[in-house]
Amino acid sequence: MSTTRVRMSPDVRREQLIELGVRLFATRSLEDLSIETLADEAGISRGLLYHYFGGKQEFHTAVVRRAADHLFAVTAPDGEGSPLEQLAGSLARYVDYVAENYQGYVSLLRGAAGGHEGLREIYEDSRAALTERLFDGPVAEEAASLGLVDTPTVRLLVRGWAAFTEEVVLEWVRDDRGITREELLVTLSASLPGILAPLRPE
Amino acid sequence: MSTTRVRMSPDVRREQLIELGVRLFATRSLEDLSIETLADEAGISRGLLYHYFGGKQEFHTAVVRRAADHLFAVTAPDGEGSPLEQLAGSLARYVDYVAENYQGYVSLLRGAAGGHEGLREIYEDSRAALTERLFDGPVAEEAASLGLVDTPTVRLLVRGWAAFTEEVVLEWVRDDRGITREELLVTLSASLPGILAPLRPE
């Protein structure tokens, strides 16, 4: 093993710093994710970080956007099983993601809901991408069995279902009330067809 | 009719000012609900308002708490019909309330979600009171037919359902997407039994 320090391109270095920021973001709020913290953890100077990101705002935006990309990636349907099984798999990974990134996730929601426009845009984009999969992807191919026809009413209800899922999962992670992960997943998976049921032709 | 000015007790006057504040709050955000605006509308001096409320914060808290009381009152089950019909009636009045008080309601949610502790407390109390009715009240008496057994899982799902309903109604008021009020109400009323369905014994 060589101990020679590898000189990295600025782009690669910036990427690494964003990933480090995302890891730190898992267990702390945006307010607690300072340039100073990142500098300490990365072992580099604050000045260099300002060089890479311009400022705290840009740093936060880059970290939150990357965290949203991770969430999108880990919740991708795996192509195995029925649409409902694929949805259940995505939901299981969503639950685990929220559990592992609780502090940052809550602070993103709080910022987005509280009127921080930059965070709100990332949050809305992320939710739109996550729910779009239900209409255009492996789940959608047989989605009629879930009641997932692409109509304005179904889209509105899916938006509500996303709010439902977020609320239930955040609350469960905060306090599981003795409900097991398996019990949670059963009810979450069944909730979308349950919400859409009244729209289905008899 | 007498034109004599009636001298009111300070309590009655304060009550009237709160009610005026609630009416103003319907069509504007909390940020736009200033002591100055209230003074103009009530035709009294700012100094007198500070006398009644102490400050802007106390004025806002009094108005939001009263608005939450109104919401609770208008959505009371009317005791007519089946549990599902009573739920449908409450939901219809909730939809109309949000439509008529949209600006203030959105600004309350934003403040509560954004970490304003006073607003968050009023919002949480209000939601708890609204959903408690499902477990203790006329709807609850026959609630087994809705799947409303009082268990931790059902309570968690009801909390999620409240988030679902709020999201769907706010979005529909913002942009109805061609969905009629009747269509909206049909799907909202059916959503709670739909979400709870997987928990019901076969």
Side-chain angles (χ1 to χ4, degrees), chain A residues 35-67:
Chain A
I35 291 274
E36 287 70 26
T37 306
L38 186 67
D40 286 350
E41 293 284 336
I44 61 177
S45 73
R46 291 165 51 183
L48 195 53
L49 282 178
Y50 280 104
H51 168 74
Y52 280 119
F53 292 106
K56 185 177 167 182
Q57 199 75 18
E58 291 86 344
F59 166 54
H60 281 176
T61 303
V63 165
V64 171
R65 211 174 276 283
R66 182 63 54 87

Side-chain angles (χ1 to χ4, degrees), chain B residues 164-183:
Chain B
F164 163 86
T165 303
E166 192 176 271
E167 176 75 21
V168 167
V169 173
L170 280 169
E171 270 296 305
W172 180 77
V173 171
R174 197 180 64 78
D175 171 8
D176 70 18
R177 299 151 163 88
I179 301 162
T180 67
R181 179 174 173 279
E182 290 315 306
E183 287 166 344

Side-chain angles (χ1 to χ4, degrees), chain A residues 110 113 127 159 167 171, chain B residues 110 113 127 159-160 167 171:
Chain A
R110 190 165 293 177
R127 192 161 65 170
R159 199 184 159 100
E167 177 75 20
E171 270 297 304
Chain B
R110 192 165 292 178
R127 193 162 63 168
R159 198 183 161 100
E167 176 75 21
E171 270 296 305

Side-chain angles (χ1 to χ4, degrees), chain A residues 110 113-115 127 152-153 156-157 159-161 163-164 167-168 171-172 177 179 183-184 186-187 190-191 194-195 198-199, chain B residues 110 113-115 127 152-153 156-157 159-161 163-164 167-168 171-172 177 179 184 186-187 190-191 194-195 198-199:
Chain A
R110 190 165 293 177
R127 192 161 65 170
T153 304
L156 179 63
L157 293 178
R159 199 184 159 100
W161 175 73
F164 163 86
E167 177 75 20
V168 168
E171 270 297 304
W172 179 80
R177 299 150 161 86
I179 301 163
E183 287 167 344
L184 178 74
V186 166
T187 54
S191 61
I195 285 171
L199 298 179
Chain B
R110 192 165 292 178
R127 193 162 63 168
T153 304
L156 180 64
L157 294 178
R159 198 183 161 100
W161 176 73
F164 163 86
E167 176 75 21
V168 167
E171 270 296 305
W172 180 77
R177 299 151 163 88
I179 301 162
L184 178 75
V186 166
T187 55
S191 61
I195 284 171
L199 297 180

